[in-house]
Structures are given as C-alpha cells and as structure tokens.
Amino acid sequence: TLLERQLDFLTSRFAPERIFASIQAEWLQRCRGLAPAVNWVAVDPDAAPFGSLQRLIAASAVQTWAFLHHVDMPVWEPDLFAALSARAAAACAAEAVVPVHGGRRGHPVLLAPKLQRRLAAADPAKDRLDAWLRASRVEEVAVPFPCILENWNDPHAN
C-alpha cells in the first residue's frame, strides 16, 4: 500500500521512534501492526487538517527540525531529504525549509522548532500551514525532483 511504501522509505532514513504519523483512530491497530515503533497519533478525520498537525506537534514534543509531509505525496528521494537537512543546518534564522521545483513550492516541509511552537498555539479552525509559511522566514531549496509537487489524491496538484 501507499502507507507501507511511505513507511519503508521513512524508516530507511529515520529511526522509527522518531516518526510521528497521524491516522484515524479506527486504523491504529492495523498501523501499529505495520510498524510498532512508529508513533501513531489518532486524529479526527473530519477535523481541520491544521488540527492534525497540532496533534502531531504535541505528541512529538520535538526540539529539533522536523519533516512534515502527507502520505499521499510520493517523495521517495533520499537526496531531497539530504538537501533540505543541509539547508536547515545552515539556515539558523529560518523557520522552515521548503523544496522548490519549476518555481513552485512542494513537500516535504522542514519546520524549525520555533515555528512548531507557534503552530501549536494557532487556531486550527481558521489557520492553514501554507498561510503560516507565507508569513514566516522560509529558506527555499531548488531541487530537480518533480515528485515534490505530486499528490496522488488530487489530480489537479501535478
């Protein structure tokens, strides 16, 4: 499945206990069976997407830069993650690092701890991550990977 492919890729790059994934409560048992060491966070599928991000931030208590991307975005390029990480290490004033391809921003997004704290305090009913990123100090990294723009659940995203 797409989820299994994402897990295979992510666990090849990061320790499973450092991966936090939001999932519907009904799927928790199945997902824990797929990857018991991954931190599965139950979220309401009918709630605002920003609320899911806030639940992940609260569950992870991350104190370092953290990648964020959706399961329906097939970004399986190790060099992409390395390029974003390298820019984050050099961009101490940035609040986020985003990949850019063909002049368009994509995923994954790398969030600085200071932005994560601010996002956690936002209003999930009215806030959106893209609006926060437009109002934040963002470092862009030009990448040769069109996959950063793909979204398998949105035929208009490509």
Side-chain angles (χ1 to χ4, degrees):
T1 66
L2 181 56
L3 178 59
E4 291 168 318
R5 184 149 181 207
Q6 288 285 18
L7 288 170
D8 287 345
F9 175 77
L10 291 172
T11 56
S12 75
R13 303 280 314 148
F14 308 102
E17 57 275 358
R18 295 197 60 203
I19 299 170
F20 288 77
S22 64
I23 200 84
Q24 295 177 26
E26 306 85 63
W27 297 358
L28 278 173
Q29 184 176 0
R30 177 174 177 250
C31 290
R32 286 182 179 144
L34 290 174
V38 166
N39 294 282
W40 299 100
V41 179
V43 297
D44 180 353
D46 296 322
F50 201 89
S52 295
L53 172 59
Q54 289 177 311
R55 294 257 309 134
L56 286 171
I57 291 170
S60 68
V62 173
Q63 300 296 313
T64 62
W65 287 84
F67 283 103
L68 170 69
H69 75 96
H70 304 282
V71 70
D72 54 356
M73 296 182 161
V75 285
W76 303 306
E77 294 288 347
D79 291 342
L80 169 63
F81 284 79
L84 296 176
S85 294
R87 181 63 63 90
C92 59
E95 295 172 305
V97 177
V98 298
V100 176
H101 181 77
R104 293 177 51 207
R105 290 179 173 181
H107 283 272
V109 174
L110 191 52
L111 301 174
K114 56 188 163 189
L115 183 58
Q116 294 172 51
R117 287 188 292 276
R118 288 186 20 233
L119 292 172
D123 181 350
K126 68 174 185 159
D127 286 319
R128 293 177 43 100
L129 182 60
D130 55 347
W132 273 84
L133 291 174
R134 281 193 296 277
S136 300
R137 294 186 65 159
V138 175
E139 290 281 332
E140 293 183 345
V141 178
V143 298
F145 308 113
C147 64
I148 71 160
L149 304 173
E150 290 183 35
N151 181 334
W152 287 358
N153 283 331
D154 181 359
H156 305 291
N158 301 329

